[in-house]
């Protein structure tokens, strides 16, 4: 293929070829504990880290940043913490939607967010539709997200199509499943980062992570920033992805 901008100076590819980075934002509680603060203070500082990281992703021209904000298992936490987190979500949308709009960032939500409080669902739907035409950067927030739940919902959708006679079960393949996932319109996952030193997926993007590169950092989420994202991307650029081949 012909080079499109052969006369232009070559811009540094700050994403190192990654199109889709996802982050398991972990360690808010431990960040607060270290400072003898209540857990909610860690979540507040975590929201600041979301802001910084979303700005960095947009500035480097990353196509998609997916952030794990609330899992389908996080309902096991005390009611007061859940209500703090939902309050912060509301506040984040109220305060940051204008910045998303001004910076041409598309907001997307993955997960079964429709099970959240109706007023939050309405805020999300409105924010998502107001930024729907934006690009090139999408920030996808995972809310009430669990990969097993996402796959079960995909199975339900395929079963409904089969019963309606629109789909022959014998022909169902990986692409049909991928097309039913919440991430269907996003690029393939390239890099999955988890902060706070934990090394597990906690039910995040199990299908999408099939060939993603994994990056673990001991940094607690409230201390995360664009420089750490860039470090992860530099390492990503040095990895050799083989996809089962040679
Ligand atoms: C991640 O931080 C944020 C959410 C899961 C909402 P944690 O709240 O899990 O913090 P730790 O793991 O207790 O330090
Ligand atoms: C994963 O963190 C969920 C989010 C970051 C939203 P958790 O803190 O809930 O994960 P576990 O319980 O340590 O596996
Ligand atoms: Mg945690």
């Amino acid at each position: 293929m012909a080079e499109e901008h052969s006369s232009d100076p070559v811009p540094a590819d700050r994403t190192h070829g990654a199109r889709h980075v996802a982050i398991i934002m972990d360690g808010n509680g431990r960040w607060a504990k270290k400072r003898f603060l209540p857990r909610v203070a860690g979540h507040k500082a975590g929201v600041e880290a979301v802001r910084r990281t979303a700005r960095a992703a947009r500035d480097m021209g990353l196509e998609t940043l997916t952030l794990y904000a609330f899992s389908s298992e996080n309902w096991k936490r005390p009611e007061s913490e859940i209500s703090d987190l939902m309050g912060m979500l509301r506040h984040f949308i109220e305060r940051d939607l204008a910045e998303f709009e001004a910076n041409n960032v598309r907001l997307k939500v993955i997960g079964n967010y429709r099970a959240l409080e109706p007023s939050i669902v309405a805020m999300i739907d409105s924010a998502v539709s107001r930024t729907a035409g934006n690009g090139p950067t999408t920030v996808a927030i995972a809310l009430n997200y669990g990969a097993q739940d996402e796959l079960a919902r995909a199975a339900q959708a395929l079963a409904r199509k089969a019963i309606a006679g629109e789909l022959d079960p014998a022909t169902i393949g990986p692409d049909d499943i991928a097309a039913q996932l919440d991430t269907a319109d996003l690029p393939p996952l390239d890099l999955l980062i988890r902060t706070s030193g934990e090394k597990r997926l906690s039910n995040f993007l199990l299908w999408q992570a099939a060939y993603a590169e994994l990056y673990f950092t001991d940094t607690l989420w409230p201390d995360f920033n664009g420089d750490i994202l860039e470090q992860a991307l530099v390492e990503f650029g040095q990895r050799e992805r083989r996809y089962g081949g040679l």
Side-chain angles (χ1 to χ4, degrees), residues 20 64-68 70-72 106-115 124 128 138-158 160 174-189 203-208:
H20 186 175
T64 304
L65 176 70
T66 300
L67 300 172
Y68 203 7
F70 193 86
S71 79
S72 50
R106 178 171 81 114
L107 179 70
K108 182 181 164 79
V109 171
I110 64 169
N112 187 12
Y113 74 94
R114 296 206 169 275
I124 291 171
V128 166
T138 295
V139 172
I141 313 272
L143 290 174
N144 191 22
Y145 177 90
Q148 292 177 341
D149 173 68
E150 180 190 36
L151 283 159
R153 285 186 283 110
Q156 289 173 11
L158 291 171
R160 277 194 296 271
D175 289 347
D176 300 292
I177 295 172
Q180 297 301 329
L181 299 178
D182 300 342
T183 52
D185 64 335
L186 301 177
L189 182 61
N203 205 11
F204 192 43
L205 301 178
L206 299 183
W207 174 279
Q208 297 85 344

Side-chain angles (χ1 to χ4, degrees), residues 54-55 57-59 61-65 96-108 127-140:
R55 280 178 195 145
R58 184 241 173 211
D59 291 348
L62 184 69
E63 254 178 84
T64 304
L65 176 70
D96 288 63
L97 181 59
E99 184 173 330
F100 275 70
E101 288 188 297
N103 289 340
N104 250 351
V105 174
R106 178 171 81 114
L107 179 70
K108 182 181 164 79
V128 166
S129 74
R130 276 170 65 178
T131 61
N134 289 354
T137 298
T138 295
V139 172

Side-chain angles (χ1 to χ4, degrees), residues 8-21:
D8 294 345
V10 181
D13 178 8
R14 293 171 67 198
T15 67
H16 298 269
R19 298 176 64 199
H20 186 175
V21 176

Side-chain angles (χ1 to χ4, degrees), residues 24-26 68-71 74 77 194 198 200 202:
I24 301 174
M25 309 185 287
D26 200 9
Y68 203 7
F70 193 86
S71 79
N74 287 148
R77 297 190 178 198
R194 185 171 188 144
E198 306 294 356
R200 54 178 170 267
S202 300

